[in-house]
């Protein structure tokens, strides 16, 4: 295990490629490979038999209890629970690969298992004491208890820190009061990880995390929500009315619950990413079968350039998403704790890639794609939520950009021997710092820039393009910091641009690492993988350069004025006859 505490993206923003963090391309640990293969095969056996049921259950809006019992018997609730507590003890790579297989068959099933393992019981896994783990993990592993994660409230969505649920200490107990909204597995869960404000009224109240079990008096659950997608997955409000839990149900430290919540979400993100990749693989199978089989104008539609463009892009997106999810899994697996930004990037990229793929696969299918008889429309509906939950992609973009700028700002202020984050204080006089000034000159002149040295020599042309992108990124961070300083927090157009540059570069770095490994391993289809790299590299670098160029040359203020006008009127202004 490495004890390195370096974020690949934070270094990249300073113009440094920490290549040892992502090269060689991570592989599933040898010991897990065989078990995972067997699990994937059994998942196919179990779920293929239910292909028609998934459609029925989507319409009915419920996964029947006897199917959930089948899942329990199968052992799929114990994926990430250590073997000593009766689970399979899968690491992140194996877990995300398994969710991929579930996502291939049905998103409601993948989300039921994902909400249990990625977020519902992950607080116990990450922060539980030995005693807490021994008490609950065995029943969570068998599915006797299903887990749910209770953070969101009617007034606290993206701004989770604004939650109102309270937990007040009374002797050896905590008394919890509050309402949680849209909780996945809410209707079937017996184990809730609940976030509540602690501390006396009048004091500054911090968040703490608690385990609450369903059988505790005062816990109740609202009706199953009627949703656009993931209709069979249970989503419910969960109410806590004077719920008393013993003091030892506190998870992690009192007052550190926000950190617990964020670490749970970071750590579980590649599960969602894996599910998205599984969905994309399935869509590619469906779209290629349709394109080959459907004839128009006397030829299979697969012969038409615009159909090839769509299918080619689906493959590029799926490969890129799979690469970045695996690289993040590798970062987690290596013991490097600095992966929050990279995990957020993998979530943003994979969820948007699945959305594009679902939309284009439906288009390839024409009118069939729109008919409920075929699964395209269901997959499209199911895919939509991914850009909203586990952190909306907008809020995650802010996190990606602001963390990068905070890290760079902190490194700069460290150079000036006073550590202050960008959130606290303007970056003072960093133009005077000689080290940084030198680096800026180097980056700008391109004399001795960042180098990616450990990739296979055949990939030098693509590595050179990536290095150019890194110089652009470092210059972009510099430019944005100089332009906005601490006011960057209110400059979301600029933050989004920076986040998009970072997303493209991290995904490109992941694809480079993977293709390099494929060449070194002598994989048979490596020429195809190089084609994918070439396409993605061209697309990503073009976007990077365009986003960088728009930092100074943009119409942000004009577009904001258009939005403000509409927001003020509350309607479109030219609705004339
Ligand atoms: C099917 C489903 C399952 C869910 N499962 C769970 C669960 O198991 N547990 C749980 O705790 N929660 C769950 N949620 C809640 C989910 O996590 C929230 O919906 C999500 O965090 C967004 O919150 P919100 O819906 O209140 O949107 P809001 O936070 O109100 O956001 C609305 C819009 O404003 C944007 N926005 C918000 N803040 C900013 C900002 N600072 N800058 C720019 N844009 C911003 C958002 O990106 C979004 O586009 C689930 C939701 C759904 C629909």
């Amino acid at each position: 295990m490495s004890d390195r505490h370096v974020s690949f993206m934070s270094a990249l923003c300073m113009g440094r490629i920490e290549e040892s963090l992502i090269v060689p391309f991570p592989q599933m640990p040898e010991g897990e490979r065989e078990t995972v293969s067997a699990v994937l095969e059994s998942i196919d056996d179990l779920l293929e038999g239910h292909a028609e049921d998934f459609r029925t259950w989507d319409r009915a809006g419920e996964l029947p209890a006897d199917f959930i019992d089948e899942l329990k018997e199968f052992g799929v609730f114990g994926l990430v629970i250590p073997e000593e507590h009766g689970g399979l003890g899968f690491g992140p790579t194996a877990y995300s690969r398994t969710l991929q297989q579930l996502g291939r068959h049905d998103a409601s099933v993948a989300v039921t298992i994902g909400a249990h393992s990625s977020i519902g019981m992950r607080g116990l896994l990450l922060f539980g004491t030995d005693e807490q783990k021994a008490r609950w993990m065995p029943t969570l592993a068998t599915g006797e208890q299903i887990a749910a994660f209770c953070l969101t409230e009617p007034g606290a969505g993206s701004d989770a820190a604004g939650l109102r649920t309270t937990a007040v200490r009374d002797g050896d107990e905590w008394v919890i009061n509050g309402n949680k909204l849209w909780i996945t597995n809410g209707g079937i869960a017996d184990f809730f990880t609940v976030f509540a404000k602690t501390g006396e009224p009048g004091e500054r109240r911090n968040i703490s995390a608690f385990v609450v079990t369903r059988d505790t008096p005062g816990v109740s659950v609202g009706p199953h929500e009627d949703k656009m997608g993931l209709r069979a997955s249970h989503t419910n409000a969960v109410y806590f009315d004077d719920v008393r839990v013993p003091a030892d149900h506190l998870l992690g430290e009192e007052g550190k619950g926000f950190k617990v919540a964020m670490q749970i979400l970071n750590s579980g993100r590649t599960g969602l990413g894996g599910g998205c990749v599984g969905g994309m693989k399935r869509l590619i199978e469906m779209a290629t079968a349709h394109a080959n089989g459907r004839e128009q104008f006397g030829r299979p539609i697969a012969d038409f350039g615009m159909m090839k463009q769509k299918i080619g892009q689906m493959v590029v997106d799926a490969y890129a998403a799979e690469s970045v999810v695996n690289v993040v899994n590798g970062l987690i697996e290596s013991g490097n704790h600095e992966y929050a930004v990279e995990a957020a990037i993998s979530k943003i990229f994979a969820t948007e890639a699945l959305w594009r793929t679902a939309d284009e696969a439906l288009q390839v299918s024409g009118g069939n794609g729109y008919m409920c008889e075929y699964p395209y429309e269901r997959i499209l509906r199911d895919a939509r939520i991914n850009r909203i939950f586990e952190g909306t992609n907008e809020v995650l973009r802010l996190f990606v950009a602001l963390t990068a700028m905070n890290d760079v700002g902190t490194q700069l202020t460290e150079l000036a021997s006073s550590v202050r984050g960008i959130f606290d204080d303007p970056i003072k006089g960093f133009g005077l710092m000689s080290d940084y000034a030198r680096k800026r000159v180097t980056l700008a002149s391109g004399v001795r820039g960042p180098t990616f040295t450990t990739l296979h020599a055949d990939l030098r042309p693509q590595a050179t393009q990536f290095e150019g992108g890194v110089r652009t990124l470092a210059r972009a961070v510099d430019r944005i910091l100089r332009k906005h300083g601490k006011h960057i927090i209110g400059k979301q157009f600029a933050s989004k641009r920076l986040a998009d540059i970072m997303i493209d570069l991290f995904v490109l770095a992941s694809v480079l690492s993977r293709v390099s490994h494929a060449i070194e391993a002598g994989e048979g289809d490596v020429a195809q993988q190089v084609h994918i790299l070439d396409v993605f590299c061209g697309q990503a670098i073009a976007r990077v350069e365009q986003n960088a160029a728009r930092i100074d040359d943009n119409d942000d203020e004009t577009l904001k004025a258009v939005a403000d006008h509409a927001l003020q009127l509350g309607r479109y202004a030219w609705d004339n006859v």
Side-chain angles (χ1 to χ4, degrees):
M1 261 210 178
S2 154
D3 61 356
R4 290 170 301 181
H5 294 278
V6 182
S7 152
F8 181 85
M9 286 315 294
S10 167
L12 209 67
C13 289
M14 290 294 282
R16 230 175 42 244
I17 306 173
E18 289 282 349
E19 45 196 310
S20 67
L21 293 174
I22 64 160
V23 179
F25 188 69
Q27 304 296 311
M28 190 177 297
E30 225 14 82
E32 280 181 335
R33 197 177 288 275
E34 230 173 272
T35 321
V36 173
S37 291
V39 167
L40 300 187
E41 231 175 86
S42 320
I43 285 176
D44 286 343
D45 288 346
L46 176 75
L47 299 187
E48 260 155 25
H50 287 296
E52 266 310 300
D53 296 332
F54 293 136
R55 189 171 152 232
T56 312
W57 297 339
D58 168 71
R59 300 253 127 199
E62 189 139 21
L63 283 183
D66 51 0
F67 173 70
I68 293 174
D69 287 343
E70 268 186 77
L71 292 176
K72 290 178 186 172
E73 266 168 48
F74 183 77
V76 80
F77 285 97
L79 293 174
V80 297
I81 294 182
E83 288 174 68
E84 68 200 269
H85 295 300
L88 286 166
F90 278 3
T93 308
Y95 171 63
S96 136
R97 182 65 187 84
T98 309
L99 273 214
Q100 199 188 110
Q101 208 68 7
L102 292 167
R104 240 184 141 111
H105 291 278
D106 184 67
S108 283
V109 175
V111 162
T112 301
I113 304 302
H116 172 84
S117 309
S118 294
I119 53 177
M121 47 126 301
R122 193 158 290 249
L124 180 66
L125 190 67
L126 296 175
F127 295 94
T129 60
D130 289 347
E131 195 278 327
Q132 287 173 326
K133 287 181 182 169
R135 188 168 359 152
W136 287 302
M137 283 208 164
T139 41
L140 288 163
T142 56
E144 192 184 318
Q145 285 192 307
I146 292 177
F149 175 84
C150 300
L151 181 64
T152 304
E153 298 183 2
S158 298
D159 182 13
L163 60 82
R164 295 228 170 134
T165 296
T166 55
V168 176
R169 187 75 189 242
D170 181 20
D172 282 345
E173 292 180 326
W174 289 96
V175 184
I176 302 177
N177 278 290
N179 303 329
K180 298 291 180 177
L181 191 66
W182 302 329
I183 303 305
T184 303
N185 290 348
I188 53 171
D190 309 279
F191 176 102
F192 300 96
T193 300
V194 181
F195 296 89
K197 288 253 165 90
T198 47
E200 295 305 317
E203 281 179 15
R204 185 163 167 244
R205 290 183 152 190
N206 288 320
I207 294 172
S208 302
F210 298 89
V211 172
V212 179
T213 52
R214 180 65 185 271
D215 52 8
T216 318
V219 177
S220 61
V221 169
H224 180 132
E225 300 284 352
D226 189 6
K227 311 189 290 293
M228 168 186 181
L230 295 184
R231 291 177 51 77
S233 132
H234 288 251
T235 311
N236 310 66
V238 182
Y239 308 110
F240 302 92
D241 186 12
D242 276 335
V243 172
R244 288 182 168 269
V245 294
D248 63 1
H249 281 221
L250 178 73
L251 210 47
E253 279 180 63
E254 183 183 339
K256 296 284 166 64
F258 193 72
K259 187 176 147 214
V260 171
M262 293 307 116
Q263 270 188 245
I264 290 172
L265 290 167
N266 287 336
S267 157
R269 278 209 169 103
T270 55
L272 181 55
C276 291
V277 172
M280 292 166 86
K281 289 182 178 176
R282 164 114 186 272
L283 285 159
I284 291 168
E285 284 161 14
M286 287 161 48
T288 50
H290 184 82
N292 284 323
R294 171 73 172 167
E295 291 200 1
Q296 286 294 280
F297 302 98
R299 296 156 69 185
I301 60 166
D303 283 0
F304 301 128
M306 279 192 253
M307 295 297 106
K308 286 190 202 295
Q309 189 270 333
K310 291 183 194 306
I311 287 166
Q313 188 62 48
M314 286 179 211
V315 175
V316 169
D317 269 339
Y319 187 95
E322 187 172 45
S323 305
V324 71
V325 166
N326 281 350
V327 161
V328 174
N329 282 327
L331 288 175
I332 305 173
E333 211 116 37
S334 75
N336 188 326
H337 300 294
E338 297 298 326
Y339 61 82
V341 166
E342 292 76 6
I345 289 177
S346 73
K347 189 271 187 181
I348 297 169
F349 187 84
T351 57
E352 293 178 2
L354 171 61
W355 178 250
R356 287 191 290 274
T357 303
D359 183 47
E360 290 290 56
L362 189 151
Q363 189 72 13
V364 168
S365 247
N368 279 351
Y370 200 71
M371 296 297 143
C372 297
E373 185 186 343
Y374 297 90
Y376 299 95
E377 61 84 31
R378 171 158 53 91
I379 298 176
L380 192 80
R381 284 189 283 107
D382 288 346
R384 187 61 186 82
I385 187 59
N386 296 324
R387 290 161 53 201
I388 298 172
F389 65 11
E390 296 197 23
T392 70
N393 286 10
E394 290 78 21
V395 169
L396 288 179
R397 275 188 166 83
L398 288 181
F399 170 71
V400 166
L402 295 179
T403 306
M405 280 187 285
N406 188 43
D407 286 354
V408 172
T410 303
Q411 288 185 49
L412 299 181
T413 41
E414 269 170 2
L415 286 175
S417 73
S418 87
V419 182
R420 287 202 194 97
I422 194 170
F423 299 105
D424 308 319
D425 211 277
I427 293 161
K428 289 181 181 168
F430 63 83
L432 298 174
M433 285 175 264
S434 58
D435 268 13
Y436 183 63
R438 245 197 328 273
K439 181 165 257 170
R440 273 206 347 235
V441 171
T442 310
L443 288 170
S445 62
V447 176
R448 186 175 50 80
T451 48
F452 212 151
T453 58
T454 47
L455 294 173
H456 192 279
D458 288 1
L459 300 183
R460 181 58 358 230
Q462 296 89 341
T464 302
Q465 288 199 62
F466 176 78
E467 291 158 2
V470 177
R471 278 196 292 276
T472 302
L473 167 66
R475 276 196 296 262
V477 174
D478 176 34
R479 179 70 196 121
I480 291 173
L481 277 174
R482 274 192 289 144
K483 198 168 170 178
H484 301 298
K486 72 168 179 177
H487 302 293
I488 183 60
I489 290 167
K491 302 287 177 190
Q492 294 201 348
F493 285 61
S495 294
K496 177 174 184 297
R497 257 177 219 122
L498 181 61
D500 284 341
I501 294 173
M502 292 172 66
I503 292 165
D504 270 323
L505 289 176
F506 185 55
V507 178
L508 178 54
S510 306
V511 174
L512 275 163
S513 171
R514 179 172 178 187
V515 177
S516 179
H517 173 82
I519 299 174
E520 267 149 28
E523 289 180 17
D525 58 357
V526 79
Q528 285 302 327
Q529 298 189 53
V530 174
H531 286 334
I532 291 171
L533 167 62
D534 281 335
V535 172
F536 187 76
C537 187
Q539 293 174 343
I541 295 297
R543 285 191 296 258
V544 164
E545 295 304 333
Q546 201 201 2
N547 274 315
R550 301 279 284 164
I551 291 171
D552 284 314
D553 181 11
N554 60 59
D555 47 18
D556 295 357
E557 292 308 317
T558 321
L559 187 56
K560 245 186 261 174
V562 172
D564 284 340
H565 181 236
L567 286 163
Q568 219 168 10
L569 284 178
R571 61 182 173 84
Y572 175 76
W574 301 273
D575 190 19
N576 304 323
V577 181

